[in-house]
Amino acid sequence: MAVTEDDVRHIAELARLAVPPSTLGALVAELNGILTHMDVLTAVDTSAVEHVFSTPIEGTPLRSDSSGPLELFSARETFAPAMRDGFYLVPRLATHDDSSNTAP
C-alpha cells in the first residue's frame, strides 16, 4: 500500500496542518519509505520467538485510605494574618468596589 499526494493532503487537512506544495513530494517519499520498512518487518519469521509479555494474575495492590488527617508542624493560625470561625481571612482584591471591608 503506497501513500499518494492526495492521501497526504487529505490527512493534513484533517489534522489542520499546512503542508507546503514544495515539501509534499519529499513527505510522500518519506512515508512510503516507512511503509516499505514495515513490510520488511512483517516478513520476518517470529514463530520461534517466545512471547515476553505476561498477564498479571492479581491486580495492583492498593493501599488503604485510612491515614486520617495529617499533623501540621505549626498551628493553622500561623499560616494567615487573621482567622475567624476556622476560616482564613484575606484582604479583598483591589479590583472590588468596596476595599474597606476585609472580612466576608
Side-chain angles (χ1 to χ4, degrees):
M1 179 170 123
V3 176
T4 64
E5 288 186 1
D6 290 335
D7 294 332
V8 173
R9 279 192 213 98
H10 179 68
I11 298 299
E13 183 181 339
L14 291 174
R16 296 183 178 162
L17 297 173
V19 177
S22 60
T23 61
L24 192 59
L27 187 56
V28 168
E30 186 175 343
L31 290 172
N32 282 324
I34 292 170
L35 291 176
T36 302
H37 181 68
M38 297 307 293
D39 287 339
V40 170
L41 291 178
T42 58
V44 174
D45 180 24
T46 59
S47 60
V49 177
E50 185 178 335
H51 294 288
V52 293
F53 67 89
S54 64
T55 305
I57 296 171
E58 297 177 11
T60 304
L62 302 175
R63 67 172 179 84
S64 67
D65 287 334
S66 60
S67 63
L70 299 175
E71 293 184 28
L72 299 175
F73 290 112
S74 301
R76 289 185 310 136
E77 293 79 19
T78 61
F79 293 113
M83 287 189 73
R84 184 177 3 160
D85 299 327
F87 294 99
Y88 297 109
L89 298 179
V90 294
R92 284 186 158 292
L93 295 175
T95 57
H96 287 91
D97 295 333
D98 184 15
S99 62
S100 63
N101 186 5
T102 59

